[in-house]
Amino acid sequence: MAFLSDTLARVKPSPTIMMTNKTLEMKAAGKDVIGLSAGEPDFDTPENIKRAAIAAIEAGKTKYTAVDGIPELKAAICAKLKRDNNLSYEPAQVTVGTGGKQVLYNALVATLNPGDEVIIPAPYWVSYPDMVLLAGGTPVVVEGPLENGFKITPQALEAAITDKTKWLIFNSPSNPTGAGYTRAELKAITDVLMRHPQVHILSDDMYEHLIYDGFEFCTPAEVEPGLYDRTLTVNGVSKAYAMTGWRIGYAAGPKELIGAMRKVQSQSTSNPCSVSQWAAVEALDGTQDFIAPNNELFRKRRDIVVEMLNAVGGITCPVPDGAFYVYPSIAGLIGKTSAGGTLIDTDEAFATALLEETGTAAVFGAAFGLSPNFRISYATSEANLIEACTRIQTFCKGLT
C-alpha cells in the first residue's frame, strides 16, 4: 500500500514558487540574482489599510470570526461589486477566503466529480490545472496563441465544450500575459456560454484595477446578465492594494455554491485572519486614490521591459493591457546554444540557463501551457528591470 495519495501524483509543485525559492536560495548563497518570477507588487501596503489593521488589533478583534468572513467585509464586498461592476449581491452570496487561491480551490472541490471537465484557456495561471486535478476533475486546455493576442476565440471555446463540461475558468487581464478581453470580445465568449446551460463560469478578476492605455475592464456576469446565476466572480485585495501577504480573497455567486464552499472551508482552514479581514474592509471602503499613481508606475515599467526585450533578435514581446507581466516569445531562439554551453531546445532550458549564467530569474512558458515563451513580472524597480533586461540582451547576443 502506497503511503502518499494517488491524487497527489497527478499534480506538480507550482513552477513560479519553485523559481522564486531557487532565487532566494541563490541570494542567500551570496549570488547576484534579480528575481522577476514572483507576482507581487513591490509597493508597501497603503498607510490607511495598515492603520485599520493596527486599530483592529488594539480593539481586540483577534478572535475567531464567521467561517467565510465578517459581516462588515461581506458588506464592503457587496458595495464594491455594485460600485465597480454593476453587480448586485447580498452578503449570503459572498465568501471570503485565505487569498483568491483558496476561494478558487474551494469552488472546484465543492463542485467537481470524477469525469467533470474544466475548460482552461492557455496561457493560464500555473495553479488552475493542478487545482482541477486535485479536485478530481479533468482540465481541458484551449490555446490562445500569440497571433490572437493570447486570447481564445468563440469558435475554439465552442469546440471544447462537451456534455461533461462544468466550468470555464476565465481570467482577464491575464496572468501570465497581461492580455485583456474587450467588452465585445467577452460578449462573443458569453454568447457561446449562453448556448450551453450546463457550463458555469469561474471569473478570476484579480487584476481588475491594474489596467493601462485606456483599457476598460469588464467581467462576464456584467457583460451578460443571463449568466449571473452561473457565474462565480472571484477577486481579492492582493494585487491592486499591495496586500499579498495579508491573504484575503473573496467571491460572489449563487447561494447554493457559496454554501457548499463554506462547508469546504469550515473543515479545512475555517476563517481567514481576523486582522486581515478588517484591513480588507478599509481597502475596499477607503480611498482608492493610490491605485492610479501605482498603475502609472507599472505602465512605465512595462514600457521599459517591452522596448528592451523587443530590441533582442529572436524575441517578440507583445504589449500587455493589464496586470504586471510580459510574456515574450522566444521562437527565434530555439535551437541555439548559450555561451555556457546549454542547448536552448525549450523555454525551460532558456529560463534555466538565463538564471544560471546571468542571475536573472524568470518563469518558463511551458508552466503556463503555451511555449516557447517566458514570463517576467515587472512589479519591481526600474533599476532592477533595466539591469535584468540588459542581462537578457547580453545572454541572447551570446547565443550561437
Side-chain angles (χ1 to χ4, degrees):
M1 178 185 297
F3 177 63
L4 297 181
S5 164
D6 291 342
T7 299
L8 194 62
R10 304 173 71 193
V11 304
K12 57 187 181 299
S14 167
T16 52
I17 294 176
M18 180 178 65
M19 187 63 75
T20 299
N21 289 341
K22 189 171 183 178
T23 301
L24 294 173
E25 290 171 4
M26 291 176 68
K27 285 183 176 180
K31 296 183 179 180
D32 177 19
V33 180
I34 300 176
L36 303 178
S37 57
E40 181 171 49
D42 60 327
F43 308 134
D44 194 13
T45 301
E47 284 299 319
N48 64 305
I49 298 173
K50 292 192 289 186
R51 286 196 300 270
I54 292 168
I57 293 171
E58 292 177 339
K61 297 176 179 177
T62 56
K63 308 298 183 183
Y64 292 134
T65 74
V67 166
D68 62 347
I70 58 176
E72 292 84 354
L73 181 51
K74 289 191 173 187
I77 291 164
C78 291
K80 176 261 177 260
L81 290 166
K82 185 63 177 177
R83 177 182 71 235
D84 295 345
N85 311 114
N86 197 29
L87 293 173
S88 297
Y89 290 98
E90 57 185 79
Q93 293 174 280
V94 173
T95 183
V96 182
T98 306
K101 197 171 197 174
Q102 184 188 26
V103 173
L104 294 165
Y105 185 69
N106 285 352
L108 295 170
V109 168
T111 58
L112 292 181
N113 293 308
D116 287 345
E117 296 176 350
V118 178
I119 295 175
I120 305 174
Y124 47 67
W125 180 42
V126 294
S127 293
Y128 291 149
D130 289 297
M131 286 195 289
V132 170
L133 290 168
L134 279 170
T138 301
V140 176
V141 175
V142 178
E143 288 192 359
L146 171 64
E147 54 268 26
N148 199 49
F150 296 126
K151 292 175 275 191
I152 64 169
T153 64
Q155 295 79 12
L157 174 60
E158 185 95 55
I161 294 174
T162 72
D163 59 359
K164 297 180 180 179
T165 306
K166 182 166 279 186
W167 287 102
L168 163 68
I169 298 181
F170 181 78
N171 178 217
S172 170
S174 157
N175 175 6
T177 67
Y181 286 72
T182 66
R183 183 173 291 269
E185 289 170 336
L186 182 49
K187 183 62 169 66
I189 294 294
T190 59
D191 285 348
V192 172
L193 297 171
M194 287 296 291
R195 294 194 289 271
H196 299 276
Q198 85 278 16
V199 182
H200 295 71
I201 304 90
L202 204 166
S203 184
D204 183 350
D205 296 354
M206 194 62 69
Y207 296 93
E208 169 185 6
H209 292 302
L210 300 176
I211 51 177
Y212 317 110
D213 303 330
F215 179 82
E216 294 185 9
F217 173 83
C218 52
T219 193
E222 172 192 12
V223 169
E224 177 47 76
L227 293 174
Y228 177 88
D229 291 331
R230 289 196 272 145
T231 301
L232 184 71
T233 300
V234 181
N235 212 317
V237 296
S238 295
K239 310 300 183 178
Y241 299 93
M243 294 176 67
T244 49
W246 299 77
R247 307 308 300 135
I248 294 292
Y250 60 84
K255 286 184 181 179
E256 181 182 15
L257 172 59
I258 296 299
M261 293 169 64
R262 183 185 306 117
K263 184 185 293 186
V264 172
Q265 191 160 308
S266 73
Q267 298 294 0
S268 54
T269 63
S270 195
N271 67 271
C273 171
S274 61
V275 175
S276 294
Q277 290 188 64
W278 285 105
V281 172
E282 175 61 24
L284 296 178
D285 281 349
T287 179
Q288 310 291 298
D289 290 348
F290 55 86
I291 293 178
N294 285 357
N295 278 8
E296 180 59 19
L297 289 174
F298 279 137
R299 185 196 62 77
K300 290 179 179 178
R301 295 171 178 183
R302 178 202 67 176
D303 291 348
I304 290 169
V305 172
V306 169
E307 180 180 0
M308 292 188 72
L309 292 181
N310 277 328
V312 178
I315 289 182
T316 301
C317 185
V319 181
D321 300 303
F324 37 64
Y325 310 104
V326 294
Y327 197 66
S329 166
I330 57 165
L333 304 178
I334 296 298
K336 296 189 176 184
T337 301
S338 74
T342 297
L343 174 63
I344 308 300
D345 55 349
T346 64
D347 50 32
E348 183 171 4
F350 174 88
T352 301
L354 183 68
L355 177 59
E356 293 176 350
E357 297 181 29
T358 75
T360 305
V363 186
F364 55 93
F368 305 100
L370 189 72
S371 295
N373 295 75
F374 67 105
R375 190 195 77 173
I376 281 179
S377 167
Y378 51 85
T380 187
S381 70
E382 289 187 16
N384 275 347
L385 293 171
I386 291 171
E387 173 60 24
C389 289
T390 300
R391 293 182 186 185
I392 293 171
Q393 289 177 338
T394 302
F395 175 80
C396 292
K397 287 177 183 177
L399 297 175
T400 56

